[in-house]
Amino acid sequence: MGARKIIIDTDPGQDDAVALLLALASPQELDLLGITCVAGNVPLDLTAKNARIVCEAAGKTDVPVYAGKKAPLNRPLVTAEHVHGQTGLDGPELWEPQMPLAAGNGVDFIIDTLRHETPGTVTLCTLGPLTNIAAAFNTAPDIIDRVQEIVMMGGAYFEVGNITPAAEFNIYVDPEAAEIIFRSGAPITVMPLDVTHKVLATKPRVAAIRALGSKAGHFTAEMLDFFERFDVEKYGSEGGPLHDPCVIAWLLKPELFSGRHVNVEIETQSDLTLGMTVADWWGVTDRQPNALFIGDADAEGFFKLLTERLARL
Ligand code: BDR
Ligand code: CA
């Protein structure tokens, strides 16, 4: 079987960056057609810059990086510098990327790619707010049936929220976009906080990545040194959760994860619970399942995979 074609839609973000590195290190399994950037953790100019810095850190500059939407569909942007730092990628010493942005808009790239590739052969990996994907689906509804799968980091059930008491950041930033995706009928796999909070970059795990001695290893370790501080202070956990890399790890080794097919609806009306992912984990409604909602992961296996792949860069 050939490598699976993917587009990564992202708002780097240290954990997005690790997800990009994991994908860039895995060309045998993943054919990364392009990276589309969205506003989220930091504004679009920074996410589009950070994605190119990550490609350069990996020594993989032939992947096109597009800028997409600079604001949610119909709300002002909410950012997360308190988690990721002012650059979005605080930790390592950053540089001005040499790699240019690809010409054109990321939303058009998503539409054109899905129309051009064989139906059912392109997977969308979403690591940030779902604005770009929802905009593409709104503009070109014909592409929805052509998506192989959407694998997203977003939402929570047992862990409830991180940006508000009820909502996870990626869904909260653009709940209307998330609603469009969950109602689209496209196959969806979700990596919610329930699983990502189990995949912690503990000190020994980060030390193993640093010990690789490579540029990508150092870059990753320095990002994770910075990234852990927020969750360690907030949750008393042993390291930063590698939210977004779970999406890529799922494509590489799905046996590391387990979950349930459930119905997921998005709260878009309530001030109190805006962006909540109402997941019918216990099957108490007759609403049709629309997503595979992951709940557990083999964290040791995950870090073994990540470290082994980063060693290839
Ligand atoms: C998600 O929000 C961002 O801060 C992270 O990059 C991740 O995608 C976690 O809630
Ligand atoms: Ca992200």
Side-chain angles (χ1 to χ4, degrees):
M1 216 173 72
R4 183 169 177 165
K5 291 177 191 151
I6 63 170
I7 295 172
I8 299 183
D9 189 74
T10 179
D11 63 337
Q14 293 89 350
D15 61 318
D16 302 72
V18 178
L20 289 170
L21 292 171
L22 181 56
L24 289 165
S26 307
Q28 282 178 355
E29 294 98 337
L30 302 177
D31 178 6
L32 180 52
L33 302 177
I35 297 170
T36 53
C37 299
V38 68
N41 287 322
V42 285
L44 181 66
D45 58 336
L46 288 175
T47 62
K49 177 178 172 184
N50 292 346
R52 289 176 288 145
I53 290 175
V54 175
C55 291
E56 291 183 0
K60 306 261 184 181
T61 53
D62 49 352
V63 180
V65 176
Y66 293 86
K69 288 283 182 188
K70 63 172 188 274
L73 294 184
N74 35 29
R75 293 174 185 275
L77 177 65
V78 175
T79 53
E81 285 85 357
H82 60 296
V83 181
H84 299 274
Q86 285 307 312
T87 64
L89 219 52
D90 277 20
E93 198 169 318
L94 301 177
W95 58 91
E96 198 56 44
Q98 299 301 302
M99 208 182 144
L101 269 179
N105 190 276
V107 176
D108 294 330
F109 171 74
I110 292 167
I111 295 171
D112 294 345
T113 304
L114 282 162
R115 282 181 174 163
H116 172 257
E117 298 287 345
T118 308
T121 64
V122 177
T123 293
L124 303 176
C125 302
T126 71
L127 314 181
L130 290 152
T131 318
N132 285 343
I133 312 298
F137 283 8
N138 278 346
T139 307
D142 57 289
I143 65 173
I144 298 173
D145 282 348
R146 302 175 74 92
V147 173
Q148 181 176 8
E149 187 181 358
I150 297 170
V151 186
M152 79 166 66
M153 191 282 134
Y157 179 69
F158 294 97
E159 292 284 300
V160 198
N162 59 358
I163 185 75
T164 74
E168 181 280 328
F169 179 78
N170 289 341
I171 307 295
Y172 177 79
V173 172
D174 200 341
E176 285 79 14
E179 183 177 56
I180 287 167
I181 303 309
F182 279 95
R183 294 196 171 168
S184 69
I188 302 173
T189 297
V190 188
M191 294 289 165
L193 297 179
D194 307 332
V195 64
T196 68
H197 280 175
K198 293 174 180 157
V199 181
L200 300 178
T202 61
K203 292 215 179 306
R205 289 168 176 164
V206 176
I209 291 171
R210 182 175 278 110
L212 294 173
S214 60
K215 182 174 178 181
H218 268 285
F219 188 81
T220 304
E222 284 173 10
M223 286 194 296
L224 295 179
D225 284 347
F226 177 87
F227 187 54
E228 71 156 25
R229 123 213 147 280
F230 178 77
D231 285 78
V232 168
E233 278 168 25
K234 180 171 166 193
Y235 296 104
S237 57
E238 289 173 21
L242 289 198
H243 306 287
D244 296 335
C246 287
V247 167
I248 307 301
W250 161 258
L251 297 177
L252 296 172
K253 270 198 150 199
E255 62 272 24
L256 293 175
F257 299 90
S258 59
R260 295 184 185 183
H261 278 103
V262 299
N263 177 270
V264 181
E265 301 289 334
I266 308 298
E267 176 57 59
T268 59
Q269 304 299 318
S270 156
D271 283 344
L272 200 56
T273 59
L274 184 70
M276 189 171 190
T277 42
V278 181
D280 189 6
W281 184 260
W282 300 111
V284 296
T285 73
D286 56 8
R287 296 197 281 262
Q288 284 303 303
N290 58 355
L292 173 59
F293 205 77
I294 302 295
D296 212 352
D298 168 1
E300 280 303 322
F302 171 95
F303 277 93
K304 190 164 169 278
L305 172 72
L306 175 64
T307 310
E308 181 257 315
R309 292 304 165 105
L310 290 177
R312 298 182 186 183
L313 291 173

